[in-house]
Amino acid sequence: MLKVGVVGCTGYSGQELVDILLDHPGVEITCLTARFDKPEIYSDVYPRFKGRTSLVCESLNVDAVCEKTDLIFTALPHTISMDVVPRFIEKGKKVIDLSADYRLSSKEYTNAYRKEHSDVENIDKAVYGLPEMNRDKIKKAFLVANPGCYPTSVILGLLPIIKEVKQAGLNIVVDSKSGASGAGRKADISLSFSEINENFKCYKPNEHQHIPEMESILSRVVKGEIQVNFIPHLLPVTRGILSSIYIEDKGVGAEAALRKKYVDYFSGEPFIRISEQNYMPGIRDVAGTNYCDIGIKIVRGMIIIVSVIDNLLKGASGQAVQNMNIMFGLDETAGLK
Ligand SMILES: NC(=O)c1ccc[n+]([C@@H]2O[C@H](COP(=O)([O-])OP(=O)(O)OC[C@H]3O[C@@H](n4cnc5c(N)ncnc54)[C@H](OP(=O)(O)O)[C@@H]3O)[C@@H](O)[C@H]2O)c1
């Protein structure tokens, strides 16, 4: 059995990791950490785990975690991860980091965040953990940068056609909607129930922190510069992301041919489903699963791609477990649905 630890086990994605890993046939969770004054029984902190685990969670002690694990998931806020991850790597441990700290190159990171990364040694060696793009690299990686939730939905929605879009110089507009758990469980008035419930609003239009990640990864694919106009919205639901991608159709092709292109591109991918003609997928189709569903339409000269995921699964912990399965030669779908 593979021995794994979850650092940041109290967060939304940390809890999802524990949930998946407890039922994973090839894995044993050997340690859980977050910020605790004294050790706590995990199922006392989160009663939904009662009867499933008697694990005790503690505050982070790097040596203790390394002694007990083969692989560590770090589910920490960005800028915190980059202080913790190198200490595990130094001790020869493999890491899957869920934060944004290792998704860009060091140069891109400095440009995007206007400050130096504190772990330049590892940032440029990390593998971007999108299996549909980097499976072979993930197999050999010691550090996987698990993709962001919005970028997962957008990049998967664009991968099959991004080269043609670049070649034709077409403008990409992405209108994304996310459930509130995408922001984590931190206290924030704008995330409180009364602010979100029965409301729907746009935030950070074309200024969201995930834009550099989408542009960087897509630019690597086309070996040229890609710009994404990204307009995020906050939905009054807990989980799920729906990204509507709009591209003016100047010769990319007819709808049936475009759908076939997507089907062929993702052929054999266990977690990508291309929707039938005239069906646009919804959040409920993927909530609670590791699937990304993609709907395709060309109408009145506009290509419309709709890509939906569960932000906490394909957008975070499910994808992290998919990456673990690939890194350790396990069945890629093990533990996932
Ligand atoms: N939520 C999503 O949909 C999603 C999707 C993709 C990626 N991510 C990324 O995954 C990471 C975790 O996200 P999340 O949504 O699970 O966040 P979260 O709910 O806010 O949880 C954060 C975790 O980090 C711990 N933590 C917070 N501040 C810390 C500090 N200063 N030092 C050490 N530990 C600290 C928290 O522990 P305490 O109990 O001690 O506060 C908690 O366990 C983030 O980088 C996020 O951007 C999230």
Side-chain angles (χ1 to χ4, degrees), residues 112-183:
Y113 292 95
R114 304 206 185 289
K115 66 176 202 168
E116 296 293 318
H117 196 280
S118 67
D119 185 21
V120 272
E121 172 74 19
N122 292 309
I123 185 173
D124 290 324
K125 296 182 192 148
V127 171
Y128 190 70
L130 193 66
E132 295 75 10
M133 192 180 144
N134 277 341
R135 188 168 280 108
D136 286 343
K137 289 184 183 160
I138 294 165
K139 279 181 192 162
K140 297 180 220 140
F142 64 88
L143 171 58
V144 165
N146 212 59
C149 45
Y150 279 129
T152 295
S153 69
V154 174
I155 295 167
L156 289 174
L158 281 167
L159 267 182
I161 52 167
I162 192 65
K163 286 185 178 154
E164 283 162 80
V165 168
K166 167 73 181 162
Q167 218 164 24
L170 303 178
N171 196 21
I172 302 168
V173 176
V174 181
D175 175 345
S176 279
K177 292 101 179 163
S178 174
S181 63

Coordinates of all heavy atoms in Angstrom, one line a residue, residues 112-183:
A112 N 3.7 37.5 -13.1 CA 2.3 37.5 -12.7 C 2.1 38.1 -11.3 O 1.1 38.8 -11.0 CB 1.7 36.1 -12.8
Y113 N 3.0 37.7 -10.3 CA 2.8 38.1 -8.9 C 3.6 39.3 -8.5 O 3.6 39.7 -7.4 CB 3.0 36.9 -8.0 CG 1.9 35.8 -8.2 CD1 2.1 34.7 -9.1 CD2 0.7 35.9 -7.6 CE1 1.1 33.8 -9.3 CE2 -0.3 35.0 -7.7 CZ -0.1 33.9 -8.6 OH -1.1 33.0 -8.8
R114 N 4.5 39.8 -9.4 CA 5.4 40.9 -9.1 C 6.2 40.7 -7.9 O 6.5 41.6 -7.1 CB 4.6 42.2 -9.0 CG 3.7 42.5 -10.2 CD 3.4 43.9 -10.5 NE 2.5 44.1 -11.6 CZ 2.8 43.9 -12.9 NH1 4.1 43.5 -13.2 NH2 2.0 44.0 -13.8
K115 N 6.6 39.4 -7.7 CA 7.6 39.1 -6.7 C 8.3 37.8 -7.0 O 7.8 37.0 -7.8 CB 7.0 39.1 -5.3 CG 6.0 38.0 -5.0 CD 5.5 38.0 -3.6 CE 5.0 36.7 -3.2 NZ 4.8 36.5 -1.8
E116 N 9.5 37.7 -6.4 CA 10.3 36.4 -6.6 C 9.6 35.2 -5.9 O 9.1 35.4 -4.8 CB 11.7 36.6 -6.1 CG 12.5 37.7 -6.8 CD 12.8 37.4 -8.2 OE1 13.2 36.3 -8.5 OE2 12.7 38.3 -9.1
H117 N 9.7 34.1 -6.6 CA 9.3 32.8 -5.9 C 10.4 32.4 -4.9 O 11.6 32.6 -5.2 CB 9.1 31.8 -7.0 CG 8.3 30.6 -6.6 ND1 8.8 29.6 -5.9 CD2 7.0 30.3 -6.8 CE1 7.9 28.7 -5.7 NE2 6.8 29.1 -6.3
S118 N 10.0 31.9 -3.8 CA 11.0 31.5 -2.8 C 11.6 30.1 -3.0 O 12.6 29.7 -2.4 CB 10.4 31.6 -1.4 OG 9.5 30.6 -1.2
D119 N 11.1 29.4 -4.0 CA 11.6 28.0 -4.3 C 11.9 27.9 -5.7 O 11.4 27.0 -6.4 CB 10.6 27.0 -3.8 CG 11.1 25.5 -3.9 OD1 12.3 25.4 -4.0 OD2 10.3 24.6 -4.0
V120 N 12.8 28.7 -6.2 CA 13.2 28.7 -7.7 C 13.8 27.3 -8.1 O 13.7 26.9 -9.2 CB 14.1 29.8 -8.1 CG1 13.4 31.0 -8.5 CG2 15.1 30.1 -7.1
E121 N 14.4 26.7 -7.1 CA 15.0 25.4 -7.3 C 14.0 24.4 -7.9 O 14.3 23.6 -8.8 CB 15.5 24.9 -6.0 CG 16.1 23.5 -5.9 CD 17.4 23.3 -6.6 OE1 18.1 24.3 -6.8 OE2 17.8 22.2 -6.9
N122 N 12.8 24.4 -7.4 CA 11.8 23.4 -7.7 C 10.7 23.9 -8.7 O 10.1 23.1 -9.4 CB 11.1 22.8 -6.5 CG 12.1 22.0 -5.7 OD1 12.7 21.1 -6.2 ND2 12.2 22.3 -4.4
I123 N 10.4 25.2 -8.7 CA 9.3 25.7 -9.5 C 9.5 25.3 -11.0 O 8.6 24.9 -11.7 CB 9.0 27.2 -9.4 CG1 7.8 27.6 -10.1 CG2 10.2 28.0 -9.8 CD1 7.3 29.0 -9.9
D124 N 10.7 25.4 -11.5 CA 10.9 25.1 -12.9 C 11.0 23.6 -13.2 O 11.0 23.2 -14.4 CB 12.2 25.8 -13.5 CG 11.9 27.3 -13.5 OD1 10.8 27.7 -13.9 OD2 12.9 28.1 -13.2
K125 N 11.1 22.8 -12.2 CA 11.1 21.3 -12.4 C 9.7 20.7 -12.2 O 9.5 19.5 -12.5 CB 12.1 20.7 -11.4 CG 13.5 21.1 -11.7 CD 14.4 20.4 -10.7 CE 15.8 21.1 -10.7 NZ 16.5 21.0 -9.5
A126 N 8.8 21.4 -11.6 CA 7.4 20.9 -11.4 C 6.7 20.6 -12.7 O 6.9 21.3 -13.7 CB 6.6 21.9 -10.6
V127 N 6.0 19.5 -12.7 CA 5.2 19.1 -13.9 C 3.8 19.6 -13.7 O 3.1 19.3 -12.7 CB 5.2 17.6 -14.1 CG1 4.3 17.2 -15.2 CG2 6.7 17.2 -14.5
Y128 N 3.2 20.3 -14.7 CA 1.8 20.7 -14.7 C 0.9 19.5 -14.8 O 0.9 18.8 -15.8 CB 1.6 21.7 -15.8 CG 0.2 22.4 -15.7 CD1 0.0 23.3 -14.7 CD2 -0.8 22.1 -16.6 CE1 -1.2 24.0 -14.6 CE2 -2.0 22.8 -16.5 CZ -2.2 23.7 -15.5 OH -3.4 24.3 -15.4
G129 N 0.1 19.3 -13.7 CA -0.6 18.0 -13.6 C -1.9 17.9 -14.3 O -2.9 17.6 -13.7
L130 N -1.9 18.2 -15.6 CA -3.1 18.0 -16.4 C -2.9 16.7 -17.1 O -2.2 16.7 -18.2 CB -3.4 19.1 -17.3 CG -4.8 19.2 -17.9 CD1 -5.9 19.4 -16.9 CD2 -4.9 20.3 -19.0
P131 N -3.5 15.5 -16.7 CA -3.2 14.2 -17.3 C -3.4 14.2 -18.8 O -2.6 13.6 -19.6 CB -4.1 13.3 -16.6 CG -4.4 13.9 -15.3 CD -4.4 15.4 -15.5
E132 N -4.5 14.9 -19.3 CA -4.8 14.8 -20.7 C -3.7 15.5 -21.5 O -3.7 15.4 -22.8 CB -6.2 15.5 -20.9 CG -7.4 14.8 -20.3 CD -7.4 15.0 -18.7 OE1 -6.7 15.8 -18.2 OE2 -8.3 14.3 -18.1
M133 N -2.8 16.2 -20.9 CA -1.8 16.9 -21.6 C -0.4 16.4 -21.3 O 0.4 16.3 -22.2 CB -1.9 18.4 -21.2 CG -1.1 19.4 -22.0 SD -1.4 21.0 -21.2 CE 0.2 21.6 -21.5
N134 N -0.2 16.0 -20.1 CA 1.2 15.7 -19.6 C 1.4 14.4 -19.0 O 2.2 14.2 -18.1 CB 1.6 16.8 -18.5 CG 2.0 18.1 -19.2 OD1 2.4 18.1 -20.3 ND2 2.0 19.1 -18.4
R135 N 0.6 13.4 -19.4 CA 0.6 12.1 -18.7 C 2.0 11.5 -18.6 O 2.4 11.0 -17.5 CB -0.4 11.1 -19.4 CG -0.6 9.8 -18.7 CD -1.7 9.0 -19.3 NE -3.0 9.4 -18.9 CZ -3.9 10.1 -19.7 NH1 -3.6 10.3 -20.9 NH2 -5.0 10.4 -19.2
D136 N 2.8 11.5 -19.7 CA 4.1 10.9 -19.6 C 5.0 11.6 -18.7 O 5.8 11.0 -18.0 CB 4.7 10.8 -21.0 CG 4.0 9.8 -21.9 OD1 3.3 8.9 -21.3 OD2 4.1 9.8 -23.1
K137 N 4.9 12.9 -18.6 CA 5.8 13.7 -17.7 C 5.3 13.5 -16.2 O 6.2 13.4 -15.3 CB 5.7 15.2 -18.0 CG 6.4 15.6 -19.3 CD 6.3 17.1 -19.5 CE 7.0 17.4 -20.8 NZ 6.6 18.8 -21.3
I138 N 4.0 13.3 -16.0 CA 3.5 13.1 -14.7 C 4.1 11.8 -14.1 O 4.4 11.7 -12.9 CB 2.0 13.1 -14.6 CG1 1.5 14.5 -15.0 CG2 1.4 12.7 -13.3 CD1 0.0 14.6 -15.4
K139 N 4.2 10.8 -15.0 CA 4.7 9.5 -14.6 C 6.0 9.6 -13.9 O 6.4 8.8 -13.0 CB 4.8 8.5 -15.8 CG 3.5 7.9 -16.3 CD 3.8 7.0 -17.5 CE 2.4 6.6 -18.1 NZ 2.5 6.1 -19.4
K140 N 6.9 10.5 -14.4 CA 8.3 10.6 -13.9 C 8.4 11.7 -12.9 O 9.6 12.0 -12.5 CB 9.2 10.8 -15.1 CG 9.2 9.7 -16.1 CD 10.1 10.0 -17.3 CE 9.5 9.6 -18.6 NZ 9.7 10.5 -19.7
A141 N 7.4 12.4 -12.6 CA 7.6 13.7 -11.8 C 7.8 13.4 -10.3 O 7.3 12.4 -9.8 CB 6.3 14.5 -11.9
F142 N 8.6 14.2 -9.7 CA 8.7 14.2 -8.2 C 7.8 15.3 -7.6 O 7.5 15.2 -6.4 CB 10.1 14.3 -7.7 CG 10.8 15.6 -8.0 CD1 10.7 16.7 -7.2 CD2 11.5 15.8 -9.2 CE1 11.3 17.9 -7.5 CE2 12.1 17.0 -9.5 CZ 12.0 18.1 -8.7
L143 N 7.5 16.3 -8.4 CA 6.6 17.4 -7.9 C 5.6 17.7 -9.0 O 5.9 18.1 -10.1 CB 7.4 18.6 -7.6 CG 6.7 19.9 -7.3 CD1 5.7 19.7 -6.1 CD2 7.6 21.1 -7.0
V144 N 4.3 17.5 -8.7 CA 3.2 17.8 -9.6 C 2.5 19.1 -9.1 O 2.1 19.1 -8.0 CB 2.3 16.6 -9.7 CG1 1.0 17.1 -10.4 CG2 2.9 15.5 -10.5
A145 N 2.4 20.0 -10.0 CA 1.6 21.2 -9.8 C 0.2 20.9 -10.2 O -0.1 20.9 -11.4 CB 2.2 22.4 -10.5
N146 N -0.7 20.7 -9.3 CA -2.0 20.3 -9.7 C -2.7 21.6 -10.2 O -2.6 22.7 -9.6 CB -2.8 19.8 -8.4 CG -3.8 18.8 -8.7 OD1 -3.5 17.7 -9.3 ND2 -5.1 19.1 -8.4
P147 N -3.4 21.5 -11.4 CA -3.9 22.7 -12.0 C -5.0 23.4 -11.2 O -5.7 22.8 -10.3 CB -4.6 22.2 -13.3 CG -3.8 20.9 -13.6 CD -3.5 20.3 -12.3
G148 N -5.3 24.6 -11.5 CA -6.3 25.4 -10.9 C -7.7 24.9 -11.4 O -7.8 24.3 -12.4
C149 N -8.7 25.3 -10.7 CA -10.1 24.8 -11.1 C -10.6 25.5 -12.3 O -10.9 24.8 -13.3 CB -11.1 25.0 -9.9 SG -11.0 26.6 -9.1
Y150 N -10.6 26.8 -12.4 CA -11.0 27.5 -13.6 C -10.1 27.0 -14.8 O -10.6 26.7 -15.9 CB -10.9 29.0 -13.5 CG -12.0 29.7 -12.8 CD1 -11.8 30.6 -11.7 CD2 -13.4 29.5 -13.2 CE1 -12.8 31.3 -11.1 CE2 -14.4 30.2 -12.6 CZ -14.1 31.1 -11.5 OH -15.2 31.8 -10.9
P151 N -8.7 27.1 -14.6 CA -7.9 26.7 -15.7 C -8.2 25.2 -16.2 O -8.1 25.0 -17.4 CB -6.5 26.8 -15.2 CG -6.6 27.9 -14.2 CD -7.9 27.7 -13.5
T152 N -8.5 24.3 -15.3 CA -8.8 23.0 -15.8 C -10.0 23.0 -16.8 O -9.9 22.4 -17.9 CB -9.1 22.0 -14.6 OG1 -7.9 21.9 -13.8 CG2 -9.6 20.6 -15.0
S153 N -11.0 23.7 -16.4 CA -12.2 23.7 -17.3 C -11.9 24.4 -18.6 O -12.3 24.0 -19.7 CB -13.4 24.3 -16.6 OG -13.2 25.7 -16.4
V154 N -11.2 25.5 -18.5 CA -10.9 26.3 -19.7 C -9.9 25.6 -20.7 O -10.1 25.5 -21.9 CB -10.4 27.7 -19.4 CG1 -10.0 28.5 -20.6 CG2 -11.5 28.4 -18.6
I155 N -8.8 25.1 -20.1 CA -7.8 24.5 -20.9 C -8.3 23.2 -21.6 O -8.1 23.0 -22.8 CB -6.5 24.2 -20.1 CG1 -5.9 25.5 -19.6 CG2 -5.5 23.3 -20.9 CD1 -4.8 25.3 -18.5
L156 N -9.1 22.4 -20.8 CA -9.6 21.2 -21.4 C -10.6 21.5 -22.5 O -10.7 20.9 -23.6 CB -10.3 20.3 -20.4 CG -9.3 19.6 -19.4 CD1 -10.1 18.8 -18.3 CD2 -8.4 18.6 -20.2
G157 N -11.4 22.6 -22.4 CA -12.3 23.1 -23.4 C -11.6 23.6 -24.6 O -12.3 23.6 -25.7
L158 N -10.4 24.0 -24.5 CA -9.7 24.6 -25.7 C -8.7 23.7 -26.3 O -8.3 23.9 -27.5 CB -9.0 25.9 -25.2 CG -10.0 27.1 -25.1 CD1 -9.2 28.3 -24.4 CD2 -10.4 27.6 -26.5
L159 N -8.1 22.7 -25.6 CA -7.0 22.0 -26.1 C -7.1 21.4 -27.5 O -6.2 21.6 -28.3 CB -6.7 20.8 -25.2 CG -5.7 21.0 -24.1 CD1 -5.5 19.7 -23.3 CD2 -4.3 21.5 -24.6
P160 N -8.3 20.8 -27.9 CA -8.3 20.2 -29.2 C -8.3 21.3 -30.4 O -8.0 20.9 -31.5 CB -9.7 19.5 -29.2 CG -10.0 19.3 -27.8 CD -9.5 20.5 -27.1
I161 N -8.6 22.5 -30.1 CA -8.6 23.5 -31.2 C -7.7 24.7 -31.0 O -7.6 25.6 -31.9 CB -10.1 24.1 -31.4 CG1 -10.7 24.6 -30.2 CG2 -10.9 23.0 -32.1 CD1 -11.9 25.4 -30.4
I162 N -6.9 24.7 -30.0 CA -6.1 25.9 -29.7 C -5.1 26.2 -30.8 O -4.9 27.4 -31.1 CB -5.4 25.8 -28.3 CG1 -4.9 27.2 -27.8 CG2 -4.4 24.7 -28.2 CD1 -6.0 28.2 -27.6
K163 N -4.5 25.2 -31.4 CA -3.6 25.5 -32.5 C -4.2 26.2 -33.6 O -3.7 27.1 -34.2 CB -2.9 24.2 -32.9 CG -1.9 23.7 -31.9 CD -1.1 22.5 -32.4 CE -0.1 22.1 -31.3 NZ 0.3 20.7 -31.3
E164 N -5.4 25.7 -34.0 CA -6.1 26.3 -35.1 C -6.6 27.7 -34.8 O -6.5 28.7 -35.6 CB -7.4 25.5 -35.5 CG -7.1 24.3 -36.3 CD -8.2 23.3 -36.2 OE1 -9.2 23.5 -37.0 OE2 -8.2 22.4 -35.4
V165 N -7.0 27.9 -33.5 CA -7.5 29.2 -33.1 C -6.3 30.2 -33.1 O -6.4 31.3 -33.6 CB -8.0 29.1 -31.6 CG1 -8.2 30.5 -31.0 CG2 -9.3 28.3 -31.6
K166 N -5.1 29.7 -32.7 CA -3.9 30.6 -32.8 C -3.6 30.9 -34.2 O -3.3 32.1 -34.5 CB -2.8 29.9 -32.1 CG -1.4 30.5 -32.3 CD -1.2 31.7 -31.5 CE 0.2 32.3 -31.8 NZ 0.2 33.7 -31.4
Q167 N -3.6 29.9 -35.0 CA -3.2 30.1 -36.5 C -4.1 31.1 -37.1 O -3.7 32.0 -37.9 CB -3.3 28.8 -37.2 CG -2.3 28.6 -38.2 CD -2.2 27.1 -38.6 OE1 -3.2 26.4 -38.5 NE2 -1.1 26.6 -39.1
A168 N -5.4 31.0 -36.8 CA -6.4 32.0 -37.4 C -6.4 33.3 -36.7 O -7.2 34.2 -37.1 CB -7.8 31.3 -37.4
G169 N -5.7 33.5 -35.6 CA -5.6 34.7 -34.9 C -7.0 35.1 -34.3 O -7.4 36.3 -34.2
L170 N -7.7 34.1 -33.8 CA -9.1 34.3 -33.2 C -9.0 34.7 -31.8 O -8.2 34.3 -31.0 CB -9.9 33.1 -33.4 CG -10.1 32.6 -34.9 CD1 -10.9 31.3 -34.9 CD2 -10.7 33.7 -35.8
N171 N -10.0 35.6 -31.4 CA -10.2 36.1 -30.1 C -10.9 35.0 -29.2 O -11.9 34.5 -29.6 CB -11.0 37.4 -30.2 CG -10.9 38.2 -28.9 OD1 -10.0 38.1 -28.2 ND2 -11.9 39.1 -28.7
I172 N -10.4 34.8 -28.0 CA -11.0 33.9 -27.1 C -11.7 34.6 -25.9 O -11.0 35.4 -25.2 CB -10.0 32.9 -26.5 CG1 -9.3 32.1 -27.6 CG2 -10.7 31.9 -25.5 CD1 -8.1 31.3 -27.1
V173 N -13.0 34.4 -25.7 CA -13.7 35.0 -24.6 C -14.2 33.8 -23.7 O -14.9 32.9 -24.2 CB -14.8 35.9 -25.0 CG1 -15.6 36.4 -23.8 CG2 -14.3 37.1 -25.8
V174 N -13.9 33.9 -22.4 CA -14.4 32.8 -21.5 C -15.2 33.4 -20.4 O -14.8 34.3 -19.7 CB -13.2 32.0 -20.9 CG1 -13.7 30.9 -20.0 CG2 -12.3 31.5 -21.9
D175 N -16.4 32.9 -20.4 CA -17.4 33.4 -19.4 C -17.6 32.2 -18.4 O -18.2 31.2 -18.7 CB -18.7 33.7 -20.1 CG -19.8 34.1 -19.2 OD1 -19.7 33.9 -18.0 OD2 -20.8 34.6 -19.7
S176 N -17.0 32.3 -17.2 CA -17.0 31.2 -16.3 C -17.8 31.5 -15.0 O -17.9 32.6 -14.6 CB -15.6 30.9 -15.8 OG -14.9 30.1 -16.7
K177 N -18.5 30.4 -14.5 CA -19.3 30.5 -13.3 C -18.8 29.5 -12.3 O -18.7 28.3 -12.7 CB -20.7 30.3 -13.6 CG -21.4 31.4 -14.4 CD -21.5 31.0 -15.8 CE -22.2 32.0 -16.7 NZ -22.0 31.7 -18.1
S178 N -18.5 29.9 -11.1 CA -18.1 28.9 -10.1 C -18.9 28.9 -8.8 O -19.4 30.0 -8.4 CB -16.6 29.3 -9.7 OG -16.2 28.5 -8.6
G179 N -19.0 27.8 -8.2 CA -19.7 27.7 -6.9 C -18.7 28.3 -5.9 O -17.5 28.5 -6.1
A180 N -19.3 28.6 -4.7 CA -18.5 29.3 -3.7 C -17.4 28.6 -3.0 O -16.4 29.2 -2.5 CB -19.5 29.8 -2.6
S181 N -17.4 27.2 -3.1 CA -16.3 26.5 -2.4 C -15.0 26.7 -3.2 O -13.9 26.4 -2.7 CB -16.6 25.0 -2.4 OG -16.7 24.4 -3.7
G182 N -15.0 27.3 -4.4 CA -13.8 27.5 -5.2 C -12.9 28.5 -4.4 O -11.7 28.5 -4.7
A183 N -13.4 29.3 -3.5 CA -12.6 30.2 -2.8 C -12.0 29.7 -1.5 O -11.4 30.4 -0.7 CB -13.4 31.5 -2.5

